[in-house]
Amino acid sequence: MLFRSEWNNRIGQFIQRKVRVGDSWKGTQEYALPVGGEHITLFTTTKVGGQTACGRTQCLEIKITYNSDPDHIGKVLNRLIGESDSSVDKSAENTEDPSIEINGEGTRLVDPATLLVYEEDIKRTITMPITVLGDKKIFATITEHQQYNVDYDI
């Protein structure tokens, strides 16, 4: 389920904001990496789709797409590797790899009166180079697909 920081990034932007079907805007979100306490910036586009029934009310369909700045991710990951791996020479300059990407898209059904999320369908893809078999570099692509349906006892 959504944690407070995720809710703030995904839904909190609508508090006190008047939107209409068809409205869209660009912005940024901070995304917390699972280790090291680091954050990266994701560039987002949000669009308000049509209305649809959800629960006992009418929800707005919110569509979002996002992608990362590969240069920033490379810097953050190299800093994390340097901090956690004692074999890395911390005085040496780590090679930054701008080929790491995070992108995704999603749809949420949100009650505009309460900002309760009734459905969420999020797809995220992370592509990054990894080294295997000695020094051979290959690309790994991780794809996540999360779906939530929430029933509220209102």
Side-chain angles (χ1 to χ4, degrees):
M1 212 50 205
L2 295 177
F3 296 103
R4 182 178 300 270
S5 64
E6 287 179 291
W7 188 90
N8 285 334
N9 276 333
R10 295 178 183 186
I11 306 302
Q13 63 183 306
F14 294 102
I15 295 174
Q16 303 284 324
R17 184 180 199 143
K18 299 219 183 272
V19 298
R20 293 187 312 244
V21 172
D23 285 356
S24 66
W25 59 91
K26 295 184 182 296
T28 59
Q29 277 185 17
E30 292 300 307
Y31 175 77
L33 294 174
V35 294
E38 293 282 347
H39 290 76
I40 58 169
T41 301
L42 298 176
F43 299 94
T44 62
T45 300
T46 304
K47 182 172 184 177
V48 180
Q51 288 190 327
T52 188
C54 62
R56 297 182 182 138
T57 188
Q58 287 288 309
C59 286
L60 286 177
E61 181 182 64
I62 308 297
K63 297 180 179 187
I64 186 167
T65 58
Y66 59 89
N67 64 354
S68 60
D69 173 357
D71 291 329
H72 182 235
I73 291 177
K75 291 175 186 174
V76 169
L77 291 180
N78 277 318
R79 188 169 52 247
L80 285 174
I81 290 168
E83 290 172 0
S84 65
D85 186 348
S86 61
S87 68
V88 174
D89 180 0
K90 293 174 179 58
S91 65
E93 192 69 29
N94 291 330
T95 303
E96 293 171 12
D97 193 334
S99 55
I100 300 167
E101 293 182 38
I102 298 176
N103 60 62
E105 61 185 23
T107 302
R108 296 179 189 96
L109 297 183
V110 178
D111 179 346
T114 63
L115 295 182
L116 291 173
V117 177
Y118 279 79
E119 288 184 26
E120 183 171 84
D121 187 347
I122 302 291
K123 297 175 185 167
R124 177 180 13 241
T125 304
I126 302 169
T127 303
M128 63 184 158
I130 60 173
T131 303
V132 296
L133 303 172
D135 290 336
K136 183 176 180 182
K137 184 190 267 189
I138 63 171
F139 281 88
T141 299
I142 302 163
T143 304
E144 289 180 297
H145 187 185
Q146 299 176 346
Q147 293 179 298
Y148 300 104
N149 294 298
V150 183
D151 293 319
Y152 297 100
D153 187 17
I154 299 176

